[in-house]
Every structure is written in C-alpha cells, then in structure tokens.
Amino acid sequence: MAALASVRRGRAGTCVAFAGALGLGKSSLMRELEGRADARGDLVLTGQGSEWEAGIPYGVTSDALSDYLASLPAPDLERVTDGLAADLGVALPAVASAPPGGAAVEAERYRTHRALRELVGRLADRHPLVLALDDLHWADGETAELVAHLIRHPPPRTLLALAYRPAQVAAAVAAAVERGSRDGRCELLELHPLTEAESREVLGERVPPATRPNVVRESGGNPLFLEQLARAAGEVAGATAAGAPADADVPPVVLAAIESELAALGPPERALAQGGAVAGEPFEIELAAAAADMREGDALPALDALLAADLVRTTDAPRRFVFRHPVVRRAVYQAAGAGWRLGAHGRVAAALRSRDAPLARIAEHVERSARPGDEEAAATLLEAGRAAATQAPATAARLFQAALDLLPAGDAAHRLEALVSLATSLGAAGRLEEARETLWEVLGELPPERHDLRARAATFIARLDHALGRQGEARALLDLTLGELPEPRSREGAALMLELVMDHLFTAEFEPMRVLADSALELSRELGDPLLEAAALAGIAHAAQNSRDIPGSLAAASEAAAILDTLDDSRCAPLLETFWWLASAEDVLERWDACLRHADRGIRLARRFGVSFVFVALTHTLAVALGWHGSLARAREAAEETVDASHLSGNQTSLAYAYTTQCFVLGQAGEAREAVAAGELGAELGRQLKRGLYVALPHANLGAALVAAGQPERARTQLLEARSRGALDHWVGRCWWEIWMSGAELALGNLDEAERWASAAERTAEEMGLAGRRGSALAARAAVTLARGDVPAAASAALEAAELLEGCGRTPDGARARILAARALAAGTVGAGARDGGEPRDPDDAGPAAAVAQLERARAVLSEAGAPRLADEAARELRKLGLRVTRPGGRAASADGVGSLSAREREVAELVAAGHTNGEIAAALHLSEKTVANHLTRIFTKLEISSRSALAAAVGRGE
C-alpha cells in the first residue's frame, strides 16, 4: 500500500483509517495491511477495542504494546522507556518501571500522550512500525484522546492504522481523522455494503440455490453476516435468536446462527466459552476457567473443542485466546444469562485480586458483579477511581459513578466524597455540563451548616460557567451563597467576593468589578490574610487597566507581587488562581519578567497541588508573555502545551484561545503560514463564543497573521469581524487592533486609511503610557511614512520604535523595527538627530553602511531569540545591499546540504526529522532547550531553510 511505502521512504509518520458499520470488512483490511507490513520486515503491533473492557484506561494501546515490550531484553526495554516511565504508569502499568505521577494535574495528560508517542517513535528507530488499532469505537476515553494526539502529531516512521464504526467512535477521534484527511496527515477509507451481485459472488456455491436469495437478503450486503449465514448453510435464514436479546447492530438471524453453533457444544465447552466471554478479550485460560468455575484440568479439553469448532482462536501469547469475531463473543456473553454472568464476574474479580492485578482490571469486574450496599466493592471502585483520576479522568468518572450507585443512601460522608471526586473528574474529562450538574447535586446534599463547602461548590460552578462561555450565569448563586453565610466578613465571604470580581471581568463590567475588588481588599486586610489581599490587588489591577487607569493598575500589581513573592508555597495553595490573575495583569502592563516569574511559579504549584484549571490558564499566559519577551523556542513549547491541554479539557472556549495563543507565538517567530493555520482554527472555534471580554481576540490575531502572510484582503475581513465583536471596546487590546488594521490597509495600498489607523494607535498608546505599545505604534507610523517616500522620517521613527521596544524587553520586535529602519536607511540618509542605542549618530554613518549595521544587529538578535525566518529576512536585506552573507561560524553553504552540519547539529537535525520537539531533544541530548533552539537557528541558516518540515526533507535527502 501507498501508506506503507510512504513510511518506509521517509521519516515522517502517517495514518490510515478504515471506517464503516459492523461487518463491512474493516478488520479484514487491517489483517491484510498487517500481513503486507510483516512481509516487508516492518514491526507490526496490534491492539483491539472490546465492548466489555472499554473502561480500562489506555486499554487498546496497552493491548498493542505491552506484550511486545515485555518480550524485549532488559537493555532494549530500558532504552525505549528511558526517561518515560513516570508518564507511562497508567498507560502501560505492566512495563513502567516507576509509579504513575509524572503528570500532577489532569490537564497534563498530554505528557502521557507525548511519552507514548516518544515510545512508539523509539520502537520505529530500527524498523518502520505499523501500530494497528482495531474496533476503536470501543476504546476507552483515554485511548481516544491518545489517538487524536497521534493523528495531530504522527510518530516518526510509523503508520497508525485505525478501524472503527463512525456512528460509535469518540468525537475526538472522528474530528482528528476528519481534520487529518483535510491536511494530508490521514487517509480515510469509508466502507460500504456489497451489492447484490457482489454478495452472490462472495457466496459462490456454499449455499444451496434455493436458500441463496434469502441469505443475500438477510445479510444486507454485509460480508460478516453473509459469512455467518453461509456457515449455517442457510438453515437459520428467517429465524430469530431465542436466547439473546435483540441487538441493533446484529440481525436476529445472525445471532441465531451463532447460537446454533453454541447449541452443538457440550456443557463443559459451552461453560468455558461463556467464561472466556466474561474474562476478557483476549481471554486467559486461567481466568476463563475461574469465571466458569472449572478446574484447569477440565478446562483444557474444553478449550481444544472450542478451537476445533473455530469459535475461538489462538494468539501470539501461548495462554491467551480470542473469539472468532467480537460478534461471536457478544452472542456467547448474552446467551450466558444475566444471573450466571453476575457470579462469573465476581469470580474473575476474586482471581484478579489473588494475583495483584491492576485496580482498573479488578474494578471492571467488580462493577459488573457488586450489589448495592456492598461497601467493600464501593471502596474498590473509589480506590480505582482515585488511582486513575490524574491521567485517566474519563475512566475515573465512570468508577466514581459506579461507587455512588453502590453506596448506601445513609453513607453521607462517602457519598459526598464520591460526588466531589466525580465532579472533578467529569470536568477534567471535558464533560463540563455533567460536572456542573454534579456540583449542583453536591449543593443539594450538603448539610446546611457546611457553609465552607457550599462556598467552594458555588465557586467551582462559576468557574465551569466561565469555561462554558456562560458568563455571569452563576452570579445569582454566588450572591445567594454569600448572603447565606452566617458571617460574611469571613474567608469564605472573601473567596466568594473574589469570584464575583472575576465574573465581572469576564462580562467586561469594570466599574462594579472595581467596587467589589476594593471591598475584597478591605475584607482581606481586616482578616489579616495576605493571600486574599494579593488576590484582591490583582483584581484591582485588572479593573484599573480596563478602566484606563494604568498607573493605578501598575501600583496594585506591584503591591500584589510584593505580597505574593514573600509567601511560601504552602501559604499560596488555598488560592492558586492569584498567580493567574496577577500574571495576566502583568502581561498587559508589559512587566514580562514579573509575569514570567509568577506564571512559572503558579504552574509549578498547580502541578504540586493538582489544580488543573489554574495550570491551563497559566500556560496560556506563559506562552503569550514568552512570545512578547522574545524567548520564542520556549514560547512555541508553551503554546503547544496550551493546545494539547485545551484539547484534553473538552472546553471549546479554552481551545479557541489556545489556537489564538499559538497563532500569536508563531507570528512573533515570523512563521506566518503556520500562524495562519493555527489562527484559522482559533477563529473557527471563536465564532461559537457568544459573550465575554476576549471574544474578538481569535479574529484579531488571525488578521495579524494574515497581514504577515501577505493576505491583506482576508486580514481586513477578519479584523473587521473582530471589531464587530467588540475589539475596540477592549481598551487594553485596542492599540493592537489599530496597528494590525494599519498594516492591512498599507498592504492594500490604502495609504490614507493606513495612516489614519496608525495615528489612532499612537493616540491609544500615548494614553496608555506603556513603552511597548508606543514602540509598536511608532513602527506602524514608520511603515506608512516609508511607503509615502519620507525616508528620513521613516528611519528616525523606526529607530525610535526599536529603542522603545528593546527597552521594555521586546527584543525581537525591536529587531523587526531595525529591519524597517534599515530599509529606509538604505534608501536615503538620516540626520544626526536620530539615535541608536542612546548615542549620537555620526551623519557619515547614514545610508547603506548604517543599514548594514542595523541589519546585522537585527539578524543576531533574531537568531538568538529563535526566529530563523525573521533572521533570514534580515539576511535577504543584506544581500540586496551586495553583502555575501555567511552562516554562523563563517561557513558557507555546501553542496552536500546536511554534510555542512557539525556532529552535534547533525544529531539535533536527525531528532527534528524524527518528529521530536525541542524539549524532547534537550532531554535526549542532555542540553537545555535554549541550546537546542540555538542549534536549530544555525542549522536553518546553514541549510537556508525555515521550517522543521523542510529540515526533515533535507535529512531524508542526505540519507
């Protein structure tokens, strides 16, 4: 197949998906693909979803990987799992050498996904790998998340082959396949029923002519049903299944055909088949015997009979067996009878406990066999849920719900604990509406005197409303809960008041927000609680800056930082949101050193204390601040983490802003095409946002990316849509919109309009009094001035803009301004009044020589910041001036491409080509991420390329 050849030719991974209803041949195509790959010498690993094991976290991928990993010699196993064990604990408990816990918050489940991706990539180092996952519609939620991640980030040298029923597969998988098929990362093959002529051809002479039309009609063109009815030689055509309940997927006639096979078995064989159906897929003979309540000596002859009848088949593992088809297992399971199955699941649970099996496997059978009021079973389910909560919240939610169903109605304490755990896991799994409903249930079950817990529940409901885009809806609940407190002048009262402050921020009601924040500050000081005081001051900083009081915002943020920086970690734990509130205010105020300090600390504490929503919010803030500050390699990593975490949250609002953040960061790095791709995803999701402070951001940032990508007409359309969604009402972001609008109009040749918006940006920036905004507005003015032909004024304005931008820490933007200044300097002369770095400029330095100096300075800054495409822009300008631009170290380009790289650069290049991120490369080579970014900058410059995909292609040609 072309997909196999593609993986073998290059280092990039790809995906193929077989989608169709039950029985249309998906599994047959998978087996054909696996056979061809195996014949070529590729490594083939297969996993299969199972209807009754859908609750085991990462069950399908564990099925694919565990046995192979366990078969590796110890040195090989250590090599492929080195550094990954902590993040593989839940996904591969049989081979992980360390307990789970590498991801301390649910939002960081992507670390498990990245670890599994890295593991698969390492397994493909020596031979191309086919990872075949069948019956994916029965996969657990965590496997579905992982598969979506692997489609978005294909492991190197790996073909990911998927088979599923589209009507039943998880939405995350369906969306990833659909998007992958659009952008070329996944080939989707949709299967359809056979025609009547094709069905007759498949049947051949196996069915008597008299019954052949009935068999064709009953099969509906379904190859599986056709085959099953052919097995029965047409004897059951038109029959109904007697023992099994009706099944929407399988016609009664097909179930009846399978039952006829079962009826031909003796009692021991039938009992063992039913025990295998209960034990799992594939089933171990010992567990099947335990389920059937048989001794192993009696089970083995029965197994031989089942194999001879082709009801079950062998696997690569000597003591594991599978049914001929999942439909056969379903029919056997249903035919066993509900009462017998209860006892069988209980016997399997006991057998698993005796061998210290993972809690998730035990819980699957406990859940299917325990009776209401069974406290031991409920405790098992609660323990299994807590073990899974961090890395498998969907599974944890199911287990907590199952425990609730077993707990006695009078066990209020355990019920409340299970409800809170259920709400937390539902939220982490992206089921926000269900989490909200569960929290309302918590409120209903709380004793009236537990005002502290009522306040916490109301606070979390408000946060879920914000995540769901239901801004302001929880305000009545917050007000009511605050009013019911026996002592409003309490910490609970202050916490509720602060949540009201943030609720007003999201609804852009700044005057009442300031009143509430001032009241919260007064109360926090009355209580003598410095953490609450810092949080209230952060709220004041937001209210002030959105009310055009930048000095007041700066003062409040400074005071909040002074308090927060003196508190030890344990004192901060009760209200980690403070770090997000403060860091996001500092980002607006252009205090990026402080913003990064508080964002980094908040993320560390969110991991330590397991506060997922704070982690997600702070990754957004961190990525943006790093993008402004010029740490672009790290900004890319943070933006990617933001996208991955938001995908897992199931929160479309968060995901819209995550893609918007990624669009911004990539734009800062000069990667315009990639920025547009991310921005389009953000804008698509952003159209669903109905209300809130930031609903215009996705469209505004996409507009900026389109300006940089040379698509000004589309840019203007997006920017006008942002204006219609309130871009100009958001004062702290207004300046950016005006600057981007000026850029779009300038690119369209509308100089008067471009100048109008540049002037508006200058007025807004002057009103704000922030150096970075003034510098950006001045750069917009310089671009318009240069287009009008006023070369001296353009150069002077651009150089002044560079000084302002560099002075506030935005060194890459300063370098961009210097490139603009160089274009003007190359075109004319500048008077001595212009300044460069604070020193008077000699008039003799004007013109091309001065332009060269500015370009070389800009190129060095951009290379160091991790913006190779922008550095290339400076290099192109230098070549226009007649300079021969050499690569770092003075080495010119060589004809042999990657042969020009140093040994270390070649190592980095090969890891990039293999699909590794900068963080993964840093870990593999024991380098810092900044060093990896610097190596990449030099590699891009030497090879005269500007993207990781181009580097992968260059490495492939070199090999």
Side-chain angles (χ1 to χ4, degrees), residues 12 28 57 73 147 184 205 223 301 351 362 403 468 473 494 499 533 561 591 672 728 731 763 853 869 892 897:
S28 296
V147 168
E205 302 299 321
I362 298 171
L468 289 163
E473 289 190 24
E499 194 60 39
E533 184 179 355
R591 291 189 164 186
L728 295 183
W731 187 65
R763 288 192 297 272
R869 294 190 190 178

Side-chain angles (χ1 to χ4, degrees), residues 408-424:
D411 192 351
H414 285 107
R415 280 189 58 78
L416 197 56
E417 175 195 350
L419 277 170
V420 172
S421 297
L422 173 60
T424 302

Side-chain angles (χ1 to χ4, degrees), residues 70 72 112 322 352 383 417 547 607 638 667:
L72 293 177
T112 297
V322 294
L352 289 170
E383 185 182 359
E417 175 195 350
S547 301
R607 287 191 179 112

Side-chain angles (χ1 to χ4, degrees), residues 209-400:
T211 57
R212 199 174 298 158
N214 282 342
V215 170
V216 170
R217 184 181 63 256
E218 293 283 1
S219 73
N222 186 298
L224 170 67
F225 301 163
L226 198 65
E227 180 66 28
Q228 187 60 57
L229 294 174
R231 276 178 176 271
E235 295 174 9
V236 295
T240 59
D247 192 299
D249 293 331
V250 186
V253 65
V254 176
L255 291 175
I258 297 171
E259 282 195 358
S260 70
E261 293 185 72
L262 295 175
L265 300 173
E269 291 81 11
R270 189 180 181 96
L272 185 65
Q274 293 169 344
V278 167
E281 182 79 334
F283 64 84
E284 299 173 46
I285 183 60
E286 293 84 359
L287 289 180
D293 202 13
M294 298 174 68
R295 294 179 306 171
E296 187 173 337
D298 296 327
L300 293 178
L303 174 64
D304 288 337
L306 293 176
L307 290 167
D310 195 31
L311 273 168
V312 301
R313 295 171 178 173
T314 60
T315 68
D316 291 338
R319 301 185 70 83
R320 293 186 187 177
F321 303 88
V322 294
F323 284 89
R324 182 177 72 234
H325 192 279
V327 167
V328 175
R329 184 193 178 196
R330 181 188 302 183
V332 172
Y333 185 87
Q334 291 175 340
W340 187 89
R341 292 198 301 264
L342 284 173
H345 279 295
R347 290 188 288 272
V348 173
L352 289 170
R353 280 197 186 97
S354 70
R355 60 166 74 174
D356 293 326
L359 271 172
R361 289 197 66 195
I362 298 171
E364 278 290 306
H365 294 280
V366 168
E367 188 180 349
R368 294 176 182 274
S369 60
R371 61 176 58 87
D374 186 337
E375 294 183 8
E376 181 183 1
T380 297
L381 294 171
L382 286 172
E383 185 182 359
R386 286 190 290 267
T390 299
Q391 293 180 313
T395 296
R398 195 194 83 258
L399 294 170
F400 289 135

Side-chain angles (χ1 to χ4, degrees), residues 82-83 122 917-929 932:
D82 182 39
R122 292 180 187 180
T917 66
N918 284 8
E920 293 166 341
I921 296 169
L925 300 181
H926 306 289
L927 303 171
S928 70
E929 289 189 35
V932 172

Side-chain angles (χ1 to χ4, degrees), residues 402-439:
L404 276 165
D405 293 342
L406 297 180
L407 285 169
D411 192 351
H414 285 107
R415 280 189 58 78
L416 197 56
E417 175 195 350
L419 277 170
V420 172
S421 297
L422 173 60
T424 302
S425 293
L426 286 170
R431 295 156 62 183
L432 304 183
E433 289 285 3
E434 293 174 74
R436 187 177 187 272
E437 291 172 9
T438 304
L439 284 169

